Each structure stands twice: as structure tokens, then as C-alpha cells.
């Protein structure tokens, strides 16, 4: 029995050709702006190269998996679509500029491209599993993987629970992407000892992402959470995974510099990475409550209706007066996202989060001022910081 593959995230399209990223350049600007920004074409070229590597690698991997048994086609195609479908390609971009800052403009990028590209497969794994844990219905404007598999179960009148079928297969899709990520890193044309060192940063990134996800789930269940705890989750789940560790991973792929210099670079990347990563998550909190679903690809207020303890919500509880706090809890209990969002804005929490984002962008800029790296990388990382913190999706 053949499952309906067209419903999986990624939609009806030619999955054998690479897709273009939502962010074509470091600042997410238009083609005309690309031509006026000397940094942007380098990032755009990187993204295009990552997508070509990803598409070619996945074509071969999907074929190999389906050769085991044609019934595996839906699993393989769902994993391929999850990896190829949209996305800003921020993690490969941060890894590339982390590498470029150390390696310099003359270094050959071809040997390290597979290692950068692997981060997109790791990200696909994380998103698919995150959607299962959050019971999310959509991702980038399309049904999430678990929802698509559940819909196919119903359409084909299969036995058992459609919900369980969807969740189980989505977990396998995520697992497959994780295995593919490891396999792609091994394709790097770098010395084995260099890859082994970089794997340390890669493994730390995965561990911290899992730790942050656990704390996120714990926060939803906890009766006592705080702004400080919410920021801790943002630091582990988002800042480390999105910026800090990709930068460190990229730098580790360009060894050979004096140890003292490497320590200065690592310190600058860490300072910059936590600032930008936290700004990224804070913007995500705002978009989750107030973003345009047509742009974000997800329903507005989803985090509010689930009661997720974001920094935004924790600040609102802290800043609210007695009346506002009582009304806020009533609206949260009723999953009234519209009124909850209005109340949060009324408390001043939105303005406070915007101020926190601005503060972190300033901190990231100061970190770049002190970073002993290639000037082009410094400029690109400034642009990426703005792209991450000022995005609309």
C-alpha cells in the first residue's frame, strides 16, 4: 500500500532540485539590496552552495533507502522535504563566517561545505521532533510531518490510531535526518583530526539543544518559572544551538592558529553568539504572539494558548498589576490568544523585550569590535545579527 507523499511538509514540487533560501543574504534583503551590499553576495553564494550540496546528497540517500524497500519512499521523501523546505540557513551561515573569520578570505571553502550543510539536517531533525512535542499543526505554512502522516493514515483507512502513526513516523523522520547529518560531516575533505575536533563543538551543540528542550518542556509543566529560567532556556535551546556552537564548530574546521589567538576568537564568538542567539529567541517570542501567519507560516498565539513560559509571558506576569495579572491568567486558562496578546502589550512587556533585543544587538556589535578575525567576517556577522534579531518570520 502506497502512502500519499504529496501531503508532507514541502508541498507539491520537484524535490530533486535545490530550493532557494528565504534569506538570500545576510540581512534578508532584496536582490537590489544584494547588489549594493559587498558582504551579501558571499553569504548568498554560500546558501546556494549549501542547497546544492543538500539536494544532491539527499537525492542519493533517498534512492539508497528506497532501494531497500519501495515502501520506505514516504519516510525518505518526508525527511528530504523537511530538510529542503525553506528555512533561513542561519546555522550554516554562522558556521561559515565562524570558519572564514579564522581561515581568512583565501581559504578553500569546498572541503568544508559538507560540514556546514550537515547543520541543516541537524536542524530538520530538531524541528520535526519539536513539532511532535509541541503538537504543532503547521510549519512554514504547511502541515507538520506528524500531521501529514496522520492525514495519510486516515485517507488510506489504515488500522490503528492515526495520531500515533503520525507521531511515530515523524520521530523516525527526525532520527533519519540526524543520521544523515553525521554521514554528511564525514564527507568533508578535511583531515580526520580536524573533523574530530570540530565534532566536539557539534556534539556540545546537540547536547545543549536537548537540555534546552527538556527545560522548555519542564517550564510548561512547572508552577514556578521565572524570567531568569526562561532566559536560561533561550540560551541553551536557541543561542547555543543557533549561533554559539555553529560559530565554534566553523572555527574548529580551520585549525593551525596559535592557542592564545584561538582563545581570543572563541571568547569573542561566545560573547557575540549568546547575545545574538538570545535576541533571536526574543524576536521569536514576539513573532509567536504578534507575527503575521502569512509570513511566519505558523498560527499567531500558538505559544500563548499552550502557556509556554517564554520570556515575554514571564515579563508580562512580572510587570502586570493585580487586575492585569488576574485577567491574564483567566485568558491563558481559556486559551484566548488575542486578548492575552493585548494584555501582554498593555503590561509593557513587549517594549521591554524590544529593549532587551536592542541591548543584545549592541553587545554583539561590541564583541565584533574586539574580535581578531577577518574584516569581511566581522562585517558579515554584524549583518547576520541584524537579520536574526529584526526578522519578520
Amino acid at each position: 500500500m502506497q502512502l500519499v507523499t504529496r501531503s508532507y511538509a514541502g508541498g507539491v514540487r520537484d524535490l530533486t532540485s535545490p530550493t532557494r533560501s528565504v534569506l538570500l543574504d545576510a540581512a534578508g534583503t532584496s536582490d537590489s539590496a544584494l547588489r549594493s551590499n559587498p558582504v551579501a553576495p558571499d553569504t548568498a553564494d554560500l546558501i546556494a552552495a549549501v542547497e546544492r550540496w543538500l539536494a544532491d546528497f539527499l537525492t542519493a540517500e533517498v534512492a539508497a533507502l528506497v532501494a531497500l524497500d519501495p515502501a520506505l519512499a514516504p519516510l525518505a521523501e518526508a525527511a528530504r522535504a523537511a530538510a529542503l523546505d525553506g528555512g533561513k540557513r542561519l546555522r550554516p551561515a554562522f558556521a561559515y563566517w565562524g570558519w572564514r573569520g579564522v581561515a581568512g578570505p583565501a581559504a578553500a571553502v569546498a572541503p568544508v561545505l559538507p560540514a556546514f550543510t550537515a547543520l541543516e539536517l541537524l536542524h530538520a531533525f530538531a524541528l520535526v521532533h519539536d513539532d511532535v512535542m509541541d503538537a504543532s499543526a503547521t510549519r512554514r505554512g504547511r502541515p507538520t510531518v506528524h500531521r501529514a502522516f496522520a492525514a495519510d493514515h486516515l485517507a488510506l483507512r489504515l488500522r490503528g490510531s492515526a495520531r500515533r502513526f503520525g507521531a511515530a513516523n515523524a520521530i523516525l523522520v527526525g532520527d533519519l535526518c540526524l543520521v544523515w547529518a553525521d554521514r554528511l560531516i564525514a564527507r568533508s575533505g578535511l583531515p580526520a583530526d580536524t573533523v574530530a575536533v570540530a565534532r566536539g563543538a557539534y556534539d556540545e551543540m546537540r547536547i545543549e539543544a536537548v537540555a534546552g528542550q527538556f527545560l522548555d518542556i519542564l517550564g510548561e509543566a512547572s508552577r514556578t518559572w521565572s524570567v531568569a529560567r526562561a532566559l536560561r532556556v533561550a540560551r541553551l535551546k536557541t543561542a547555543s544551538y543557533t549561533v554559539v556552537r555553529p560559530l565554534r564548530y566553523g572555527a574548529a574546521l580551520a585549525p593551525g592558529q596559535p592557542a592564545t589567538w584561538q582563545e581570543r576568537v572563541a571568547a569573542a564568538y561566545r560573547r557575540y553568539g549568546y547575545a545574538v542567539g538570545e535576541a533571536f529567541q526574543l524576536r521569536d517570542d514576539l513573532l509567536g504572539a504578534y507575527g503575521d501567519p502569512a509570513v511566519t507560516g505558523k498560527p499567531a498565539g500558538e505559544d500563548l494558548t499552550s502557556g509556554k513560559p517564554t520570556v515575554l509571558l514571564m515579563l508580562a506576569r512580572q510587570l502586570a498589576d493585580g487586575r492585569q495579572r488576574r485577567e491574564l491568567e483567566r485568558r491563558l486558562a481559556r486559551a484566548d490568544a488575542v486578548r492575552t496578546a493585548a494584555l501582554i502589550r498593555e503590561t509593557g512587556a513587549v517594549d521591554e523585550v524590544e529593549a532587551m533585543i536592542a541591548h543584545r544587538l549592541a553587545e554583539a556589535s561590541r564583541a565584533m569590535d574586539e574580535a581578531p578575525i577577518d574584516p569581511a567576517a566581522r562585517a558579515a556577522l554584524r549583518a547576520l545579527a541584524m537579520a536574526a534579531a529584526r526578522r519578520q518570520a
Side-chain angles (χ1 to χ4, degrees), residues 42-83:
D42 213 339
T43 302
D45 289 346
L46 166 76
I47 290 172
V50 163
E51 290 179 345
R52 284 193 297 271
W53 249 105
L54 194 58
D56 291 346
F57 172 80
L58 290 173
T59 295
E61 290 295 326
V62 166
L65 190 60
V66 173
L68 296 176
D69 191 313
L72 292 169
L75 171 70
E77 292 294 351
R80 171 158 58 178

Side-chain angles (χ1 to χ4, degrees), residues 268 271-272 274-276 357-369:
R271 182 180 171 192
Y272 165 93
Y274 281 127
V276 175
I357 291 171
H359 173 77
R360 281 157 177 77
L361 282 176
E363 174 68 9
S365 181
R366 287 191 292 270
M368 285 297 96
D369 287 341

Side-chain angles (χ1 to χ4, degrees), residues 106-244:
V109 71
V112 290
L113 271 173
F116 299 150
T117 304
L119 297 183
E120 281 303 303
L121 288 164
L122 175 64
H123 189 45
F125 145 77
L127 291 183
V128 172
H129 281 195
D130 190 58
D131 285 341
V132 173
M133 286 182 270
D134 288 349
S136 297
T138 60
R139 167 73 62 181
R140 295 169 183 156
R142 300 185 180 93
T144 48
V145 174
H146 65 279
R147 285 292 188 96
F149 270 113
D152 284 346
H153 182 285
L154 293 173
L156 294 170
R157 298 185 178 182
L158 300 179
R159 296 172 56 192
S161 163
R163 181 177 178 181
R164 182 173 176 273
F165 180 85
N169 283 315
I171 290 170
L172 292 174
V173 166
D175 290 346
L176 183 58
C177 287
L178 187 61
V179 173
W180 281 347
D182 286 351
R183 179 169 284 188
L184 191 48
I185 291 174
R187 300 282 183 90
S188 301
L190 296 169
D193 57 345
T194 299
V195 175
V197 171
R199 281 292 305 233
Y202 175 75
D203 289 342
E204 287 298 324
M205 176 169 51
R206 295 192 295 174
I207 290 168
E208 290 176 4
V210 170
Q213 184 68 24
F214 175 80
L215 291 177
D216 195 33
I217 294 169
L218 179 63
E220 287 189 44
S222 177
R223 297 183 185 277
T224 57
W225 211 243
S226 66
V227 173
R229 295 296 291 166
L231 279 170
R232 180 65 175 163
V233 172
R235 175 163 282 216
L236 285 172
K237 183 181 177 182
T238 304
S240 177
Y241 164 67
T242 303
V243 190
V244 179

Side-chain angles (χ1 to χ4, degrees), residues 71-92:
L72 292 169
L75 171 70
E77 292 294 351
R80 171 158 58 178
L84 285 177
D85 185 41
K88 303 172 187 65
R89 312 306 189 208
L90 278 176
R91 289 155 194 85

Side-chain angles (χ1 to χ4, degrees), residues 272-345:
Y272 165 93
Y274 281 127
V276 175
E278 288 177 11
F280 181 92
Q281 182 58 56
L282 292 169
R283 178 61 59 196
D284 208 53
D285 292 352
L286 292 173
L287 290 173
Y290 305 102
D292 179 357
V295 178
T296 65
K298 298 189 74 173
E302 193 171 54
D303 286 349
L304 298 180
T305 56
S306 69
K308 185 180 288 291
T310 62
V311 173
L312 178 66
L313 179 57
M314 294 299 98
L315 273 173
R317 283 173 164 153
Q318 181 176 294
L319 296 171
D321 61 28
R323 179 197 63 80
Q324 290 170 330
R325 191 174 297 108
R326 289 190 296 274
E327 182 66 11
L328 182 61
E329 297 307 326
R330 278 197 295 269
R331 295 298 174 178
L332 285 168
R334 297 174 186 174
D336 183 348
V338 174
R339 182 54 185 155
T340 299
L343 275 167
I344 288 173
R345 190 182 293 277

